[in-house]
């Protein structure tokens, strides 16, 4: 009886696995397949075409949204990675007053639902711009308004935490005596960091940066609340189109975004393998 | 500490700390302040103190003890709970299955879980709209066989499917991490001492993988309770959650103090829950 | 001989815990000096303070007469061989070894030449291009040593460097380390919890416990003339017998009473008075075992019953019960191996004896 129980258990586990993966992948596969469907309306298969891709790449709105997304992701990730790495080193290598409190604060942007962060930044930026505009006597078209810059600032604010968490993990795994050995051999703090710590936690930093980059490309909610004229990113553009209707063009843009995610996954896997080898 | 070390620490810590202070803590506190101010037509606030926003939020409809906003609060927490439970019921056996495979198979399966994890959330939600829409895939197929159309989009079911779909990888990954660490000789030890399969599971396996369950549940519950994208796209605004009314108060309704009050109450509930959770966890560790 | 390293009244406190308590030590130039003690005795903390990884809470550390206690590690001409070797995994062996010289901005050819020399010194030529992960434990150990000695430090600090090696390799490395030290004439401070290792290698040993230095001396002094019960117990095996002083010491010998009619002479280098409760310490291998009929020339003689016999290869250990709760461990070398484990039997009544000055009076 026991053996029967085990066999059935194994079968159920296998079935659960199969259905889970079907559930996870069927929608994505359908999405990609119908981006090649030669029909503007609905989900009836009418034959293969690439015209939605041609249309996508000739749409100014899509292209400018794509470039905005990349600008935001690159800028925000770069700045957040530098700040996050510095913060991580400070947290892992030093004891200082209010360290515990700051530790808690660092986790908040990860925990807080994006919608709350979005509205609070909206309120903050509107107050900030009105103060700045008032001080500089700007009004109308000259006034400073939210846009790409505020989006970048907002993205940095939540990416910092993710980068810090990832880098701290690799610093925790890091054998502290390596840093002591470097100092023992005559390296000061900065040389030790540059020659020993940085190369060894580089995979962690890169991992954190890739996560940040993905989150930035992915984000709709926080961007929607902090953007303004000229600050339309790809998710903003796509969301607007989805609300109107489903269309093969959206499938094509979605496939493009899927490809970008895929590239990032592959890069992150390669980075992980490399660091595992070391 | 040597003074040069203090200088080194200051250089490392201050940029990140100042950034978060200015662009995260200040905006969060600003929301608390806004929730206590008067509404200004056309968005923004009038700088005079009032509790109107909270009174509005907690005043029940006549003849009842609840109002529309509180119903949405309850619904959001209830749906997030449902989503978490479904993800746990599907994700736990999935993580277990993956953890029991040979390393090469396990890493491939894990990779397959990672792909949706890294894939754009909006795209994944849209995929379901494409399937469930009135002129979407399911209805196109039904139509082709002359069946009556099935109205799935803009229903609670559609929203739940979307949320489970979006959250499942967030549940599986931490679960896998804790199951993988589990020492399976403990199962044999338990059986050796006379425990049945069920007892081994409830008395040994479950307690030792609890950290993974907790981490996965938090990762699923919190983003779900504040969902905006899924109820908007798959619920069509007909099935509102907290995220929708927050966006509405800051958007079309232009009642910032009221929106802020909703956000403050929401955060107090969430943070309260998290603090209670960590208290319990700490007590258990001792 | 000049003083290489000196610790003067050094105390190190971590929050409430006192790791090193008011320690003063002098290590001579060119000496192989060991810090020996159980884990948590403060020996590693002492070493880390000399290296500069920890700052003394009180007191001062002198290197060749210059105070260095507050200097960061990279400003002290001291190098360390770490317990886990701490080789940089992203650099090759040659880059690891040359790291210190490179930081001193020495010209490249010079660095290369000295790296080759250092690797030859530790008998590891031809591994320069490999990564540390590709080496065995013993080889990593040698690389760590080469990386430290190449800088020609005034003192080389070694933190249990042989701890991770297996016994055979460890014995070989002990001799090799000692040889390298003598060749270079460099001061070594060696931290270990292994008394045998300390005895084998050191010129002098400092035995530490609970943050204090209990005794400093040559291996022979420490073994033969321990000044406290802890030292006698930690280094080698010792029998401890409770006893009472009967006659005040004269010429380094005192008479003690073990209870009943057992009165003995024993070496005594401490201040005691008649009637004081003390401990008599005697090493198992200093005790001789005889049949009852034998007539003896030793001065200290007791009779007892053999309770247990354990064959240990090089020697045999007997447990002999004397009276009440007093029994002694006795080790007899197996000069001739007989099938019946020597000619003594369990339960046999025997005489045991030792030279009076082998027994030592220690204060409780």
């Amino acid at each position: 009886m026991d053996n029967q129980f085990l066999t059935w258990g194994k079968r159920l586990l296998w079935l659960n696995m199969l259905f889970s993966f079907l559930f996870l992948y069927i929608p994505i596969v359908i999405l990609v397949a119908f981006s090649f469907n030669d029909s503007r309306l609905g989900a009836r298969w009418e034959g293969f075409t690439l015209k939605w891709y041609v249309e996508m790449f000739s749409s100014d709105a899509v292209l400018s949204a794509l470039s905005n997304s990349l600008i935001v992701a690159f800028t925000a990730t770069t700045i957040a990675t530098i700040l996050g790495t510095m913060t991580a080193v400070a947290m892992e290598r030093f004891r200082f007053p209010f360290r515990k409190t700051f530790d808690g604060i660092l986790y908040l942007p990860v925990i807080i639902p994006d919608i709350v962060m979005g509205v609070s930044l909206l309120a903050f930026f509107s107050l900030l711009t009105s103060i700045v505009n008032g001080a500089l006597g700007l009004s109308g078209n000259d006034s400073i308004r939210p846009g790409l810059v505020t989006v970048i600032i907002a993205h940095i604010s939540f990416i910092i935490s993710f980068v810090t968490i990832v880098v701290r993990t690799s610093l925790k795994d890091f054998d502290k005596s390596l840093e002591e050995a470097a100092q023992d051999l005559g390296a000061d703090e900065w040389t030790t960091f540059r020659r020993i710590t940085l190369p060894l936690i580089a995979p962690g930093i890169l991992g954190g940066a890739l996560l940040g980059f993905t989150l930035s490309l992915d984000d709709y909610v926080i961007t929607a609340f902090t953007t303004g004229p000229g600050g339309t990113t790809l998710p903003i553009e796509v969301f607007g189109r989805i609300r109107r209707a489903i269309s093969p063009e959206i499938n094509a843009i979605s496939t493009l975004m899927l490809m970008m995610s895929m590239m990032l996954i592959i890069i992150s896997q390669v980075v992980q393998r490399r660091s595992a080898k070391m | 500490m040597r003074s040069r070390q203090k200088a080194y620490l200051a250089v490392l810590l201050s940029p990140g700390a100042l950034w978060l202070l200015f662009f995260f803590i200040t905006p969060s506190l600003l929301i608390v302040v806004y929730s206590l101010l008067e509404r200004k037509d056309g968005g923004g606030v009038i700088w005079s103190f009032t509790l109107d926003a909270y009174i509005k939020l907690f005043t029940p409809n006549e003849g009842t003890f609840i109002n529309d906003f509180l119903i949405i609060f309850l619904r959001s927490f209830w749906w997030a709970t449902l989503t978490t439970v479904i993800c746990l019921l599907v994700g736990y056996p999935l993580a277990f299955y993956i953890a029991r495979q040979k390393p090469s198979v396990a890493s491939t399966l894990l990779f397959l879980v990672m792909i949706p994890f890294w894939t754009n959330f909006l795209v994944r939600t849209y995929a379901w709209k494409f399937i469930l829409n009135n002129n979407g895939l399911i209805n196109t197929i039904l139509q082709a066989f002359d069946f009556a159309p099935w109205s799935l989009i803009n229903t609670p079911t559609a929203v739940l499917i979307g949320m489970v779909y979006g959250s499942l990888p967030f549940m599986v990954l931490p679960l896998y991490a804790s199951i993988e660490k589990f020492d399976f000789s403990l199962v044999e030890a338990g059986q050796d001492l006379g425990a049945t399969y069920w007892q081994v599971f409830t008395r040994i396996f479950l307690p030792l993988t609890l950290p993974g369950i907790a981490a996965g549940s938090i990762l699923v519950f919190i983003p779900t309770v504040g969902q905006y994208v899924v109820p908007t796209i798959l619920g069509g605004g007909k099935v509102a959650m907290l995220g929708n009314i927050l966006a509405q108060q800051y958007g079309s309704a232009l009642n910032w103090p009221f929106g802020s009050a909703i956000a403050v109450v929401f955060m107090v509930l969430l943070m309260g829950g998290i603090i209670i959770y960590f208290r319990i966890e700490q007590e258990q560790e001792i | 001989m000049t003083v290489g390293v000196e610790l003067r009244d050094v105390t190190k406190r971590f929050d409430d815990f006192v790791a090193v308590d008011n320690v003063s030590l002098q290590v001579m130039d060119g000496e192989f000096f060991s810090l020996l003690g159980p884990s948590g005795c403060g020996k590693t903390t002492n070493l880390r303070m000399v290296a500069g990884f920890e700052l003394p809470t009180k007191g001062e550390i002198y290197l060749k007469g210059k105070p260095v206690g507050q200097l960061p590690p990279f400003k002290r001409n001291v190098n360390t061989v770490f317990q886990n070797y701490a080789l940089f995994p992203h650099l090759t062996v040659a880059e690891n070894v040359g790291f210190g010289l490179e930081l001193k901005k020495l010209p490249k050819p010079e660095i290369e030449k000295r790296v080759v020399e250092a690797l030859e010194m530790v008998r590891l030529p031809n591994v320069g291009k490999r990564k540390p992960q590709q080496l065995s434990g013993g080889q990593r150990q040698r690389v760590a040593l080469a990386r430290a000695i190449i800088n020609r430090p005034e003192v080389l600090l070694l933190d249990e460097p042989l701890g991770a090696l297996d016994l055979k390799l460890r014995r070989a490395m002990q001799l090799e380390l000692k040889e390298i030290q003598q060749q270079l004439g460099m001061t070594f401070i060696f931290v270990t919890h292994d008394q045998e290792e300390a005895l084998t290698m050191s010129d002098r040993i400092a035995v530490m416990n609970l943050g204090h230095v209990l005794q400093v001396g040559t291996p022979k002094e420490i073994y033969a003339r321990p000044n406290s019960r802890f030292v006698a117990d930690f280094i080698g095996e010792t029998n401890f017998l409770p006893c009472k002083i009967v006659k005040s010491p004269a010429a380094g010998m005192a008479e003690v009473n073990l209870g009943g009619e057992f009165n003995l002479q024993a070496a005594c280098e401490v201040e005691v008075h008649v009637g004081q409760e003390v401990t008599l310490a005697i090493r198992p291998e200093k005790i001789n075992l005889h049949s009852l009929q034998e007539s003896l020339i030793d001065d200290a003689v007791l009779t007892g019953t053999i309770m247990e016999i354990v064959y240990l290869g090089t020697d045999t250990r007997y447990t002999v019960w004397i009276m009440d709760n007093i029994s002694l461990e006795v080790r007899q070398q197996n000069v001739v191996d007989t099938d019946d484990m020597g000619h003594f039997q369990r339960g046999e009544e025997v005489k045991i004896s030792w030279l009076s000055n082998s027994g030592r009076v220690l204060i409780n």
Side-chain angles (χ1 to χ4, degrees):
Chain A
M1 198 208 103
D2 269 1
N3 275 334
Q4 236 177 359
F5 179 77
L6 273 186
T7 334
W8 274 103
K10 274 182 188 157
R11 276 183 206 159
L12 281 176
L13 278 178
W14 186 81
L15 272 179
N16 177 72
M17 185 273 297
L18 187 71
F19 280 116
S20 301
F21 280 119
L22 287 177
F23 173 65
L24 284 175
Y25 279 92
I26 285 180
I28 297 177
V29 171
I30 289 172
L31 189 77
V32 174
F34 277 83
S35 71
F36 301 105
N37 183 19
D38 194 4
S39 154
R40 169 157 288 283
L41 288 167
R44 190 184 299 274
W45 184 260
E46 307 256 326
F48 182 85
T49 180
L50 285 175
K51 70 178 174 198
W52 308 117
Y53 287 90
V54 175
E55 209 158 283
M56 171 177 82
F57 282 117
S58 48
S59 153
D60 286 341
V62 171
L63 290 181
S64 94
L66 176 63
S67 98
N68 279 342
S69 267
L70 292 175
I71 289 170
V72 170
F74 269 116
T75 322
T77 306
T78 309
I79 296 172
T81 303
I82 294 167
L83 296 186
T85 304
M86 289 164 72
T87 310
V89 174
M91 292 300 287
E92 284 305 309
R93 290 293 184 264
F94 292 92
R95 297 281 167 275
F96 48 89
F98 300 111
R99 185 175 169 275
K100 274 242 157 109
T101 315
F102 189 58
D103 198 11
I105 290 170
L106 270 174
Y107 277 92
L108 281 179
V110 176
I111 295 174
I112 284 184
D114 46 8
I115 187 92
V116 175
M117 204 161 160
V119 295
S120 68
L121 282 165
L122 167 62
F124 176 73
F125 284 135
S126 87
L127 184 68
L128 198 64
T129 48
S130 74
I131 289 171
V132 172
N133 284 329
L136 299 177
L138 301 169
S139 64
N141 281 340
D142 297 333
S143 61
I144 295 169
R145 275 180 292 178
L148 220 46
V149 175
T150 46
V151 173
I152 291 171
I153 291 174
H155 281 210
I156 293 170
S157 308
F158 72 82
I159 298 173
I160 283 184
S161 292
F162 284 95
V163 173
T164 307
I165 290 169
V166 175
V167 175
R168 278 180 76 177
T169 322
S170 61
L171 277 170
K172 267 190 197 125
D173 296 341
F174 185 96
D175 180 3
K176 236 186 131 180
S177 66
L178 292 176
E179 285 170 349
E180 287 182 347
Q183 298 212 349
D184 187 69
L185 294 168
D188 59 22
E189 289 94 345
W190 170 239
T191 312
T192 304
F193 180 73
R194 199 167 45 84
R195 296 287 309 273
I196 306 299
T197 317
L198 197 58
L200 288 172
I201 62 169
I205 296 174
L206 205 55
L210 281 167
L211 181 62
F213 196 82
T214 310
L215 290 169
S216 174
L217 277 185
D218 213 32
D219 179 70
Y220 165 75
V221 175
I222 292 173
T223 312
F225 283 101
T226 51
T227 191
T232 303
T233 61
L234 204 51
I236 301 278
E237 173 71 24
V238 171
F239 192 85
R241 285 169 184 243
I242 293 173
R243 284 194 81 170
R244 269 174 260 139
I246 61 168
S247 83
E249 267 171 294
I250 305 176
N251 289 41
I253 304 173
S254 297
T255 308
L256 172 78
M257 290 165 90
L258 217 69
M259 290 301 124
M260 299 202 304
S261 309
M262 284 292 213
M263 253 167 54
L264 288 170
I265 304 170
I266 290 167
I267 296 172
S268 83
Q269 289 292 313
V270 170
V271 168
Q272 268 187 12
R273 297 264 154 87
R274 279 257 181 92
S275 64
K277 247 191 239 163
M278 276 213 336
Chain B
M1 225 187 319
R2 297 181 185 110
S3 62
R4 61 177 294 150
Q5 275 197 309
K6 272 188 192 154
Y8 189 49
L9 170 64
V11 169
L12 283 173
L13 192 61
S14 46
L18 287 177
W19 186 283
L20 286 179
L21 180 69
F22 201 63
F23 292 117
F24 178 70
I25 297 169
T26 311
S28 304
L29 294 178
L30 191 64
I31 286 286
V32 179
V33 174
Y34 272 23
S35 73
L36 297 168
L37 298 178
E38 256 175 59
R39 167 193 182 180
K40 187 170 149 193
D41 290 332
V45 288
I46 299 169
W47 287 84
S48 76
F49 172 82
T50 172
L51 281 173
D52 280 356
Y54 290 98
I55 292 169
K56 183 177 178 186
L57 184 57
F58 288 111
T59 306
N61 290 348
E62 258 177 77
T64 62
F65 51 89
I66 206 156
N67 63 33
D68 296 353
F69 302 109
L70 294 178
I71 285 175
I72 291 174
F73 258 93
L74 288 177
R75 178 193 290 155
S76 299
F77 277 86
W78 168 235
W79 282 2
T81 310
L82 263 184
T83 306
T84 310
V85 170
I86 295 170
C87 284
L88 192 58
L89 289 178
V90 177
Y92 197 90
L94 178 61
F96 181 87
Y97 181 87
I98 297 174
R100 291 304 278 159
Q101 302 306 306
K102 288 186 294 199
S104 59
V105 179
S107 70
T108 311
L109 292 179
L110 206 62
F111 186 60
L112 286 176
V113 179
M114 295 280 286
I115 291 175
F117 180 85
W118 285 74
T119 304
N120 194 297
F121 192 80
L122 202 56
V123 168
R124 284 188 291 149
T125 310
Y126 169 71
W128 279 101
K129 177 157 181 168
F130 184 78
I131 294 170
L132 300 176
N133 216 18
N134 287 336
N135 57 350
L137 190 71
I138 290 182
N139 280 314
T140 308
I141 294 170
L142 288 175
Q143 240 177 338
F145 292 99
D146 281 334
F147 286 110
W150 187 12
S151 195
L152 278 163
I153 197 75
N154 303 346
T155 62
T157 315
V159 175
L160 264 181
I161 290 175
M163 293 199 298
V164 169
Y165 186 69
S167 312
L168 189 58
F170 290 88
M171 180 63 91
V172 176
L173 294 177
L175 276 177
Y176 172 80
S178 76
I179 294 176
E180 196 234 16
K181 262 188 264 159
F182 180 81
D183 174 6
F184 276 88
S185 65
L186 293 181
V187 169
E188 285 163 11
Q191 288 176 334
D192 185 65
L193 296 169
T196 63
Y197 289 114
W198 178 246
Q199 284 170 327
V200 165
F201 180 72
T202 54
R203 303 278 298 274
I204 301 171
F205 204 77
L206 216 49
L208 284 171
T209 52
L210 208 57
I213 297 175
S217 300
I218 287 179
L219 282 179
V220 171
F221 186 87
I222 292 177
T224 306
V225 79
Q227 256 305 337
Y228 171 76
V229 170
V230 176
T232 308
I233 292 179
L234 297 176
K238 292 193 177 69
V239 201
M241 287 178 70
L242 267 174
N244 300 84
I245 50 166
L246 252 180
Q248 192 193 8
Q249 295 307 321
Y250 264 88
S252 54
L254 288 176
N255 190 344
W256 287 21
F258 187 53
S260 303
I262 293 171
V264 169
V265 172
F266 181 29
M267 285 319 297
V268 167
L269 287 174
L270 268 191
M271 289 302 146
I274 290 171
I275 289 167
I276 290 169
Y277 162 75
F278 278 113
R279 282 273 159 79
I280 293 171
E281 200 195 31
Q282 272 178 350
E283 271 171 31
Q284 278 177 342
E285 266 172 34
I286 302 161
Chain C
M1 254 199 307
T2 52
V3 177
V5 182
E6 182 175 0
L7 279 74
R8 209 176 285 167
D9 308 324
V10 170
T11 296
K12 176 68 189 179
R13 206 173 278 131
F14 295 105
D15 298 326
D16 293 338
F17 174 67
V18 183
V20 170
D21 195 357
N22 206 24
V23 161
S24 293
L25 274 178
Q26 287 192 331
V27 180
M28 298 302 152
D29 238 353
E31 189 174 32
F32 197 120
F33 191 90
S34 288
L35 292 168
L36 174 66
S39 60
C41 72
K43 55 190 193 301
T44 297
T45 308
N46 255 346
L47 195 80
R48 291 172 60 81
M49 283 193 289
V50 177
F53 304 134
E54 311 284 356
L55 300 184
T57 318
K58 243 176 51 200
E60 186 55 276
I61 295 167
Y62 299 89
L63 200 59
K64 295 251 165 142
K66 283 184 303 252
V68 296
Q70 300 298 318
L71 288 181
F74 47 87
K75 293 204 171 142
R76 303 181 186 198
N77 193 11
V78 166
N79 286 114
T80 309
V81 176
F82 289 82
Q83 186 167 16
N84 58 357
Y85 318 141
L87 298 176
F88 308 127
H90 58 306
L91 303 181
T92 64
V93 168
E95 284 168 338
N96 262 285
V97 176
F99 194 82
L101 298 182
E102 198 198 316
L103 291 172
K104 282 188 194 138
K105 307 227 158 57
L106 258 62
K108 258 210 165 140
E110 160 102 26
I111 295 177
E112 277 165 27
K113 200 183 110 223
R114 277 173 66 180
V115 167
V116 170
E117 279 170 14
L119 285 173
E120 268 167 11
M121 178 114 213
V122 298
R123 295 187 206 155
L124 264 187
N126 314 323
V127 297
K129 290 209 178 70
R130 286 197 229 163
K131 287 278 178 77
Q133 303 88 292
Q134 295 167 292
L135 303 181
S136 71
Q139 287 173 320
R140 283 183 213 184
Q141 162 64 56
R142 286 154 194 261
V143 174
L145 184 64
R147 185 178 69 177
I149 60 175
I150 196 174
N151 305 296
R152 296 172 189 159
E154 275 153 15
V155 189
L156 186 72
L157 308 173
L158 302 103
D159 185 8
E160 306 227 10
L162 309 178
L165 305 179
D166 64 58
L167 194 63
K168 273 226 161 122
L169 196 55
R170 203 157 145 174
R171 291 247 163 93
M173 277 307 291
Q174 285 172 6
L175 295 177
E176 214 172 299
L177 259 182
K178 178 85 193 168
E179 218 179 283
I180 290 174
Q181 187 257 342
Q182 279 167 347
Q183 255 180 59
L184 294 171
M186 204 179 268
T187 314
F188 275 33
I189 301 182
F190 188 90
V191 160
T192 181
H193 66 269
D194 182 339
Q195 39 113 355
E196 205 183 310
E197 197 164 275
L199 292 177
T200 318
M201 303 168 77
S202 319
D203 296 323
R204 284 194 307 149
I205 300 171
V207 183
M208 289 190 69
N209 190 34
L210 302 172
H212 297 277
V213 170
L214 299 179
Q215 189 171 4
V216 183
T218 63
K220 200 170 170 191
E221 280 166 357
I222 297 273
Y223 186 82
R225 294 166 57 200
N227 67 356
S228 60
R229 192 176 165 139
F230 178 85
V231 174
D233 198 24
F234 190 74
I235 295 163
E237 277 178 79
T238 306
N239 290 298
F240 294 107
L241 306 172
C243 57
K244 223 182 237 166
I245 299 287
V246 193
K247 231 183 251 165
S248 310
M253 300 295 284
E255 193 173 324
V256 294
N257 175 267
L258 284 177
E261 74 257 37
F262 291 119
N263 272 19
L264 298 170
Q265 293 282 323
C268 183
E269 293 179 328
V270 284
E271 293 255 333
V272 287
H273 56 84
V274 173
Q276 191 179 341
E277 306 260 356
V278 291
T279 302
L280 175 68
I282 175 79
R283 302 271 186 198
E285 76 275 11
K286 300 267 159 69
I287 307 176
N288 292 308
L289 208 52
H290 319 270
S291 60
L292 281 178
Q293 301 81 2
E294 222 169 312
S295 57
L296 302 173
I297 46 161
D298 284 348
D299 346 271
V301 180
L302 299 171
T303 51
T305 313
I306 295 179
M307 306 303 289
E308 200 173 46
I309 305 174
V310 181
Y311 178 71
L312 296 168
T314 57
D315 49 7
T316 303
R317 194 183 68 207
Y318 301 86
T319 308
V320 182
W321 177 76
I322 309 294
M323 61 178 171
D324 300 334
N325 50 359
I326 302 176
S327 47
L328 287 171
E329 303 280 317
V330 179
R331 272 175 185 263
Q332 300 287 281
Q333 233 181 28
N334 294 324
V335 183
V336 182
D337 257 322
T338 48
D339 290 340
D340 56 355
M341 293 170 57
H343 43 274
F344 295 106
Q345 308 293 327
R346 238 179 94 165
E348 189 178 336
E349 223 174 308
V350 289
K351 274 189 194 168
I352 55 173
S353 70
W354 62 83
L355 294 170
S356 286
N357 58 6
S358 298
R360 287 179 68 79
V361 172
L362 299 174
I363 292 176
N364 291 343

